[in-house]
Amino acid sequence: MRLLGGLTIVSMLFAASCAQGVDDEIFSAGVSGVQLESPAADGFTYTFVTDASGVEQVKVSWPTVMGAGGYQCSVWNVNDPANPEVLVDNQKIDGAAVFFPLAEDSDYKISVQTLGNEKLNNTGAAVAAEYYMNTKIEGIPVPVSEDLGAFITNYIAENAETLAAKRAADPNFEIAFDLEPGATYNMATVAECDIQPTRVRGDRQSKPTVILANNAYFETGGGLKLKFMNIDASGLDKEKCGVITMDPTPSIETGAESCYHCTNPIRIEGCWVKEVKRGFFSQSPSTNWALKELRIADCIIQVNCPNNASHKSFLWPYGGGKGSIFNIYLANSTIYNVYDPAAMSSSAYFIQFGYQKGFTKTYGSNNGMFSIQNCTLNRMTPNKDFGNRVGYEGTSAFQNTIFYDTYNIHKVLSRGCTKVLGGNVMHCPTKGNASDDTKNNYCDKYEDPGFTAENLNKPLDFSQPNGGVNFKPAAGITAGDPRWL
């Protein structure tokens, strides 16, 4: 587990039956011939568990109602109260607990209604108990008047001893900085998070905006999560530095293969980012980082980059040494480059590592994952290979994704990895589809998805729905970022 600091976390293996019950016994305690009540909401508790397949789950438990014939249970994710997401739908449960998938920084509603027991002549409860919970950690409010980068840097530096003690006591300990809903923050100083796992968290319903200035960016050596915010990166144009850049002077020792190892994830969730002029994620010059996980989910990222030698790639731990990423997940996101493809250079990639060999030496395994699911990738990159020196021998899962002017994806897929493919669409108007991409049937369709020049060339506008762009594909195409479908 790596989710919550300051809460009790239980790691266990459990076998989930269709009824999700943890005990098949029906407790009677002499209770018969009565109408039962639902369990009191103030008696509900929750913990976090890991199932047999390694998936993190929430376990919500309640007091047993004697004489019950089970419980009718529903669970909703209510991050958007107007559009609750059903996770458990009116399910009968024999035990006194329900399990559902864990998501960070999320709100949940759980409904539990006691069922009757015919054998004991007990009737069910008239109304259900309702229990509300969340998976949020306590945040540090950031005043909108503060330089965001300076505030984060100073807080972590000034509390370094206390934070180190908390990390030593709890390996899952994180801190969170909370931004005011709808506010605009200026960031003219690099946000130096050192090795402290950190979240910078906005608001789902009213995203704050962070304006990068003076070549500021987010710097980490211990794991970082950017959530639910807009980022204007037009003020960042520093060579070899991305919006997120690994710490060039971390306060840890190097590990296997002379790399600094970051075992906590870097995740970007629910963010819109505009005018990325260099790479989005970068290793620092002269350092080699081995990152366990990089995840981009539910994002729109607009790039304005010529893909020349000084830019190298969108996702690339910079350096000529042994830097790499073990697991990469791109999901439900749009990444597009507004730069004129005719003027783009041919010396950069979407992803490039400094070292294509030695995954087992670096991580103790070569079974890494490169997953692109339900994404729309435009001009990533039209004049150069999709990847270089990636070297995955684990699994590459590319599914339900549109690759528009995204050339030579076989450079990643052909390196001995297990390929999981399906539902992909490719169209490369600049150079034509690469022959190795088509002959190996990496995509189900090789046809124009029908994107307009207006949208392909339009910078994001934070004031407009979906940033003012629309990449809805032509009729008959069901791939790509779900927001356009």
Side-chain angles (χ1 to χ4, degrees), residues 57 66 88 95 121 145-146 157 164 201 215 234 238 308 332 360 395 401 415 428 438 444 455 462 471:
Q57 304 255 349
M66 297 303 175
V88 177
N121 195 30
S145 59
E146 295 283 343
R201 186 170 56 189
N215 284 323
S234 57
K238 185 176 182 180
N308 60 29
N332 303 332
T360 300
T395 300
T401 290
R415 292 185 178 274
C428 299
T438 56
D444 288 7
N455 287 290
F462 296 147
F471 293 106

Side-chain angles (χ1 to χ4, degrees), residues 146-150 185-191 211-217:
E146 295 283 343
D147 179 311
L148 177 60
Y185 286 82
N186 291 310
M187 182 168 149
T189 306
V190 174
I211 300 175
L212 303 184
N214 196 35
N215 284 323
Y217 50 86

